[in-house]
Amino acid sequence: NVLVYAFVVYLGIKRLKSGAFIISSICLMPTALFLASTFSYDYFITAFVAYSFAYFLSELQQPDKKLTIKDAVLMLGAFFLACGPKAVYFVLLLPMLFMPREKFSSKKGHIIYICAVIAVAVLILSLFLLPFLASNGEGFSDDRGGTDVNSAEQMRFILQNPLAYTKILLSFIGSYVSLANASSFVNSF
């Protein structure tokens, strides 16, 4: 895990003209390194998101260079891979919609790029929602919560009762981030 993490992050950092220290600092944070050294999928997400954003930032740092199909495929493909284990991160793809028009040789190329970013986001989102839609409420148990946790029913509740869910979420956040609970959430980090 650590070798894959280090190699993918290295490839991303190598592309940058400036800002390598920032990406290095983020990827070398103790939590990120701890996740990369355990048996989890989190290192995979961090590594490929870092690579994808390093690629994106590298393109922004080179305003005279035109974005090639290979560049777009590597950037969006890495992000798609990053979202494989946890598709909920698809929203992190949205800043890539702001690639400047000057990076493309034609207006058609810019439109195709925008459509590709949206298509990747929709594909990731559909892979996230498909298991819930296909389950008909039977759902899946979440290993972290035991067999009593039904992810499909949780999503169905959120979608059918957005105001009630918002109230529950805000109440939880309020109590979790309160001063009375500070020692608990600070120890988690």
Side-chain angles (χ1 to χ4, degrees):
N1 289 359
V2 174
L3 291 176
V4 170
Y5 179 78
F7 183 69
V8 172
V9 169
Y10 162 77
L11 290 177
I13 290 171
K14 186 177 162 186
R15 292 206 47 85
L16 292 170
K17 304 297 178 225
S18 65
F21 184 74
I22 295 170
I23 298 281
S24 299
S25 298
I26 292 168
C27 292
L28 289 174
M29 286 180 141
T31 302
L33 285 178
F34 175 74
L35 290 173
S37 64
T38 61
F39 294 109
S40 77
Y41 52 77
D42 295 318
Y43 79 94
F44 194 81
I45 297 167
T46 306
F48 280 98
V49 166
Y51 175 82
S52 183
F53 269 95
Y55 216 108
F56 176 66
L57 294 172
S58 168
E59 290 299 322
L60 294 178
Q61 292 171 347
Q62 304 172 63
D64 297 335
K65 179 186 173 283
K66 300 296 182 194
L67 186 72
T68 65
I69 293 172
K70 176 188 168 198
D71 294 331
V73 167
L74 285 172
M75 185 172 54
L76 297 175
F79 198 88
F80 181 77
L81 282 175
C83 289
K86 218 170 211 178
V88 72
Y89 292 119
F90 81 97
V91 294
L92 295 176
L93 184 64
L94 299 180
M96 293 187 190
L97 289 170
F98 297 106
M99 183 73 76
R101 160 78 178 87
E102 297 77 33
K103 293 292 295 174
F104 302 91
S105 54
S106 68
K107 186 175 181 171
K108 181 180 176 185
H110 186 234
I111 292 170
I112 290 172
Y113 171 79
I114 298 276
C115 290
V117 172
I118 291 170
V120 169
V122 167
L123 179 62
I124 294 168
L125 182 60
S126 67
L127 293 174
F128 174 66
L129 292 177
L130 193 60
F132 296 113
L133 298 175
S135 70
N136 288 333
E138 296 163 16
F140 307 96
S141 67
D142 188 339
D143 293 337
R144 295 168 292 179
T147 57
D148 295 339
V149 176
N150 185 328
S151 302
E153 285 299 319
Q154 289 175 347
M155 289 298 293
R156 185 169 282 114
F157 174 78
I158 291 168
L159 294 173
Q160 290 176 349
N161 306 299
L163 294 176
Y165 169 73
T166 302
K167 182 179 175 186
I168 292 168
L169 178 65
L170 292 176
S171 172
F172 170 77
I173 291 173
S175 65
Y176 183 73
V177 185
S178 70
L179 290 176
N181 196 30
S183 64
S184 176
F185 72 78
V186 169
N187 286 340
S188 296
F189 291 109

